[in-house]
Amino acid sequence: MDRTDDRSAADAGGADTGPPAPATGPRTTAASRTGAAPRTETGTAPRTETGTASRTSTGSPTETGTGPRSGTEAGTGSPTATQAQAEPEPDPAPESGPGTTAGPAAADGSATPASADGTTPAAPATTTPRGRRPVVAALMLGMALAAIDGTIVSTAVPQIVGDLGGFTVFSWLFSGYLLAVTVTLPLYGKLSDTFGRKPVLIAGIILFLVGSLLCAAAWNMAALIAFRIVQGLGGGALQGTIQTIAADLYPLKERPRIQARLSTVWATSSVAGPVAGGLLAGYADWRWIFLINLPVGAVALWLVVRHLQEPSRPRPATRPRVDWAGALAVFATGALLLTALVQGGVAWPWFSAPSLGLFGASALLAALTVVVERRAAEPIIPGWVWRRRTIASVNLALGAMGLLMVAPTVFLPTYAQSVLGLGPIAAGFVLSVMTLSWPVSAAFSDRVYNRIGFRRTAMLGMGAALLILLAFPLLPYPGEAWHPALLMLLLGAALGLFQLPLIVGVQSTVGWAERGTTTASVLFCRQVGQSIGAALFGAIANGVLAARLLDAPVDGLPGDLDAVARTLENPGAVSSAAAEYLRRAVDAAVDHVYVGAAGAAALALLALITLAPRRFPVITEPSDSPTAPDPAATPTASEAAPARQDR
């Protein structure tokens, strides 16, 4: 990418050296290098080197290729491909032009990240903007499949239950799908790094469409829940792989554009999903909410197969191995933990035998997973995901964001209907305004983080979100509908300024061979945060209601939030005085939830302040050049080597 670092001199002097490198793995850090043995490199594509993956040199490097290498290298002599720990890095020099690199040869001390088998994966293929259009269309269609799925089903639940029965277990239509998506994200991330993005995305789309077809043919609630889990297995591949391909396609300077488009898909789906689900359930049949996925998915699949071209990579010296034992352990641990979180306090009390048993079993399986993953040659969740400060801090920060997002998405509609007296459509609009400002803020976030850095931009967004969440309990009672709507509009803008810089930033700190795993870990933590938030804030809301209803003016009132909301929907169920008391109790419960969400925002800020480096160690890859090279051309040594810039 042709850009210069516009940091101030003070900021440049305080740049962090980045996260420590793992003792083993494909990415290591060696910013300061010494040695003296000659090294010969050929200018073929992708860049290959003579010798082993880990090499020791004793002289100055000698390079041959089709073009001169521009830029500077720190230190004297050749780099070592692997090092046990990070070393201090110099400030990067300005780039000298398109297709060249500046500063250290790579963020990890080698020309390109070496895989565990000793091969050097190729940099992602660069295409012209016109060549990217059908691929971007496929990504947006695939993201729409995953984004609209939850909202379109929710409005058709009465029709589904009326046809199939199973009212006591219908919540598993959502819980089963969420569980399958969450626990498969790490597996798909690792598979995309090992075998490529295209086969994983194709398999995910096919699995999602098969699940949709089976859901449309379901004969009872148990079958529908099982087929929703099949859908979720495909949805996990869609969410993680699409985000990774988006980062592969676009250089750092252009990534906010594609991420903003994907955010727009989520925003549109949150509004269009309930409307489409209601229309199909009311005027056609609820089975059509699954059948409409088929043509959309078929178009996305055709575009991916025809237009997505991945770079050719060297044949590995050994056959890639998949850590199936680790995948099974991760799946089982996540399944038990999410089941305990989702069903606790709903299907059974929190401190009952089922809850305690599930939490205890998930803890034991988590310990077993750590043992299995530490012994695996290619673990599903590598240790470097948590050893690198940048990735670990982003994982924790986005996990906290997932937790706080439960407050507006789950409890605001209840507040709008029970306290403000709005109908379902108007209540949905109060929430949907957040999805309008989110993609707009995300689209312009690059103008902020290009000036002050990823970390400071995210801190600015989350700091604003913290203040907005704390302002919610200060709203007047009962208030006007525009009061919470305005806060949600501001909250969407703040979170757009928080999330996108972190995702773009963390994806830019790793090479192609680690980007799928990194992206999956971020999304996995966000999903787990949402599950924890639903359980935690549900307990808070019901606890506040229980305390308020102890001194209720009448007896026989419901004791949990859902039951209170249903009672308030029927004006004749209780007296006017009792209804007013219930509304105030709901208002107090939601206020406490928003205070808890503000605490989650504070945790996200704390993770960024204490763990995140002041400047993200960005790798400038060949595709970051503003002029895309001819895919058939042979890259020079400078085109093959990523460079390091701190942002």
Side-chain angles (χ1 to χ4, degrees):
M1 181 184 298
D2 186 15
R3 65 177 186 270
T4 58
D5 194 348
D6 56 1
R7 296 173 294 153
S8 64
D11 288 339
D16 196 283
T17 58
T24 60
R27 183 174 184 268
T28 55
T29 303
S32 178
R33 306 181 282 267
T34 59
R39 186 187 70 204
T40 303
E41 298 184 358
T42 59
T44 59
R47 182 181 181 188
T48 59
E49 299 178 357
T50 60
T52 60
S54 178
R55 57 190 185 277
T56 307
S57 53
T58 57
S60 59
T62 302
E63 298 183 0
T64 61
T66 58
R69 178 169 183 171
S70 61
T72 60
E73 287 193 3
T76 59
S78 66
T80 56
T82 58
Q83 297 233 353
Q85 59 184 2
E87 299 177 6
E89 300 180 3
D91 289 331
E95 293 180 5
S96 57
T100 62
T101 59
D108 56 0
S110 60
T112 52
S115 62
D117 55 16
T119 61
T120 303
T126 54
T127 59
T128 61
R130 176 172 295 183
R132 289 194 297 245
R133 289 175 185 171
V135 180
V136 172
L139 297 184
M140 295 181 70
L141 289 174
M143 186 63 77
L145 288 175
I148 204 172
D149 190 79
T151 55
I152 196 173
V153 173
S154 62
T155 54
V157 165
Q159 289 77 15
I160 294 174
V161 172
D163 188 11
L164 301 180
F167 177 78
T168 58
V169 294
F170 83 88
S171 62
W172 273 99
L173 291 176
F174 310 98
S175 302
Y177 179 86
L178 174 65
L179 186 150
V181 169
T182 304
V183 299
T184 55
L185 277 170
L187 174 62
Y188 288 128
K190 184 62 178 180
L191 291 178
S192 71
D193 284 343
T194 305
F195 300 103
R197 327 293 193 213
K198 187 173 182 178
V200 174
L201 181 57
I202 290 175
I205 295 176
I206 293 175
L207 197 56
F208 188 91
L209 295 182
V210 169
S212 299
L213 185 60
L214 292 174
C215 286
W219 53 90
N220 57 33
M221 184 61 72
L224 183 58
I225 291 172
F227 298 149
R228 282 281 289 169
I229 294 176
V230 175
Q231 252 193 326
L233 296 177
L238 291 178
Q239 291 193 26
T241 312
I242 286 174
Q243 293 278 4
T244 306
I245 294 175
D248 290 341
L249 283 177
Y250 284 82
L252 175 59
K253 185 168 62 177
E254 300 180 35
R255 280 175 195 160
R257 183 168 59 186
I258 181 61
Q259 291 290 349
R261 291 179 183 177
L262 296 179
S263 298
T264 303
V265 171
W266 280 98
T268 304
S269 300
S270 66
V271 177
V275 175
L279 290 175
L280 291 173
Y283 296 97
D285 188 87
W286 63 264
R287 300 179 189 272
W288 280 100
I289 67 178
F290 300 107
L291 291 175
I292 62 171
N293 291 333
L294 300 181
V296 177
V299 174
L301 183 62
W302 180 80
L303 290 173
V304 169
V305 172
R306 183 175 178 84
H307 295 284
L308 179 57
Q309 301 296 329
E310 290 195 285
S312 59
R313 294 182 294 161
R315 184 184 299 273
T318 60
R319 183 178 180 181
R321 290 178 294 177
V322 178
D323 178 24
W324 294 114
L328 180 61
V330 171
F331 190 94
T333 303
L336 290 181
L337 177 61
L338 291 179
T339 301
L341 291 172
V342 170
Q343 297 299 108
V346 178
W348 48 71
W350 279 111
F351 295 101
S352 63
S355 284
L356 296 178
L358 286 172
F359 280 120
S362 61
L364 292 176
L365 281 176
L368 177 62
T369 302
V370 172
V371 174
V372 171
E373 293 295 84
R374 294 186 66 177
R375 295 181 177 179
E378 292 290 337
I380 295 298
I381 303 180
W384 54 259
V385 168
W386 295 105
R387 287 197 295 266
R388 298 181 190 177
R389 287 176 54 198
T390 307
I391 302 175
S393 61
V394 171
N395 284 344
L396 293 175
L398 286 179
M401 191 203 77
L403 193 148
L404 74 86
M405 281 297 298
V406 173
T409 57
V410 175
F411 293 93
L412 184 62
T414 299
Y415 172 87
Q417 295 181 66
S418 300
V419 178
L420 302 182
L422 302 179
I425 297 178
F429 176 77
V430 171
L431 174 62
S432 66
V433 294
M434 180 177 69
T435 64
L436 300 178
S437 58
W438 191 314
V440 175
S441 173
F444 290 97
S445 64
D446 62 318
R447 302 188 181 185
V448 182
Y449 68 66
N450 280 330
R451 292 182 176 272
I452 65 176
F454 293 116
R455 175 175 174 265
R456 292 182 179 178
T457 303
M459 290 172 60
L460 178 65
M462 187 51 71
L466 173 61
L467 296 178
I468 294 167
L469 292 169
L470 288 175
F472 188 91
L474 303 178
L475 293 178
Y477 175 87
E480 301 291 338
W482 67 267
H483 293 156
L486 177 60
L487 288 184
M488 293 306 100
L489 188 70
L490 297 176
L491 183 62
L495 294 179
L497 201 62
F498 168 79
Q499 177 179 262
L500 188 137
L502 290 184
I503 292 179
V504 172
V506 77
Q507 287 178 331
S508 302
T509 64
V510 295
W512 188 96
E514 298 176 341
R515 191 171 291 145
T517 299
T518 300
T519 304
S521 72
V522 169
L523 299 179
F524 176 77
C525 290
R526 189 179 66 183
Q527 293 282 89
V528 172
Q530 289 178 341
S531 300
I532 295 175
L536 177 62
F537 293 147
I540 291 175
N542 287 327
V544 173
L545 277 176
R548 294 298 178 98
L549 295 176
L550 285 177
D551 300 325
V554 294
D555 296 329
L557 294 179
D560 62 83
L561 186 61
D562 291 337
V564 169
R566 289 194 297 269
T567 300
L568 291 175
E569 290 176 359
N570 184 8
V574 293
S575 64
S576 59
E580 176 66 14
Y581 189 87
L582 289 177
R583 277 191 288 270
R584 287 189 175 274
V586 172
D587 178 68
V590 177
D591 285 348
H592 280 75
V593 168
Y594 269 81
V595 172
L603 291 177
L605 277 176
L606 184 64
L608 293 177
I609 293 172
T610 59
L611 295 179
R614 290 183 58 191
R615 295 285 177 173
F616 282 23
V618 171
I619 297 176
T620 305
E621 297 184 359
S623 58
D624 289 341
S625 169
T627 303
D630 183 358
T634 301
T636 63
S638 61
E639 290 172 341
R644 160 75 171 272
Q645 289 189 355
D646 289 338
R647 281 177 176 256

